[in-house]
Amino acid sequence: MSTHRISRIRQLNDMLRSLPVPPFGELVITRGVAGLDQDDLAVVLDKVCRFGDFTPDNDSHGEHDFGAFEHLGVKDFWKIDYYDLQKQYHSPDPADPAVTCRVLTVMRADEY
């Protein structure tokens, strides 16, 4: 994949994480995250927004599409998936927002 395409995907993913999610995609939170009180949920979402600890180990393609952190002693993950606009198949081109629905999922590691 070209450096330009990877940069564009990374830019779109960072925009999605910046919240509010629409119009850049959708947000899904799992039951464990949804069960947090409002203050802790806000902290978790803020950590997703501000995540910047990208390394070759957790971002091997340079797309900023996955992260992990701890909150209240619990490991949390976030990931971004690329779907077609009907959310039935993988996007034909994750670098093109006109044909891609990005979905940001935030979950506890034990829910993976």
Side-chain angles (χ1 to χ4, degrees):
M1 193 177 308
S2 76
T3 304
H4 175 72
R5 283 179 43 83
I6 292 169
S7 288
R8 181 64 177 147
I9 292 169
R10 180 175 48 245
Q11 176 189 33
L12 291 166
N13 288 345
D14 288 344
M15 288 168 52
L16 175 65
R17 287 187 309 110
S18 71
L19 300 177
V21 172
F24 304 115
E26 298 180 9
L27 174 66
V28 173
I29 57 175
T30 59
R31 287 181 192 219
V33 175
L36 294 170
D37 68 40
Q38 286 187 344
D39 290 339
D40 285 319
L41 178 58
V43 169
V44 166
L45 294 177
D46 185 62
K47 287 184 176 191
V48 171
C49 291
R50 296 178 188 276
F51 188 86
D53 190 21
F54 296 104
T55 68
D57 290 333
N58 67 14
D59 191 33
S60 59
H61 299 289
E63 296 179 357
H64 291 190
D65 60 355
F66 175 83
F69 56 88
E70 284 195 19
H71 179 66
L72 300 176
V74 173
K75 187 151 202 150
D76 292 300
F77 293 150
W78 62 266
K79 67 183 188 89
I80 297 174
D81 294 298
Y82 318 115
Y83 296 100
D84 66 7
L85 295 179
Q86 291 76 38
K87 293 184 276 184
Q88 293 181 335
Y89 304 103
H90 193 271
S91 169
D93 183 2
D96 183 354
V99 298
T100 303
C101 176
R102 284 180 154 63
V103 178
L104 169 60
T105 304
V106 182
M107 70 191 90
R108 291 169 46 123
D110 62 4
E111 295 179 298
Y112 185 72

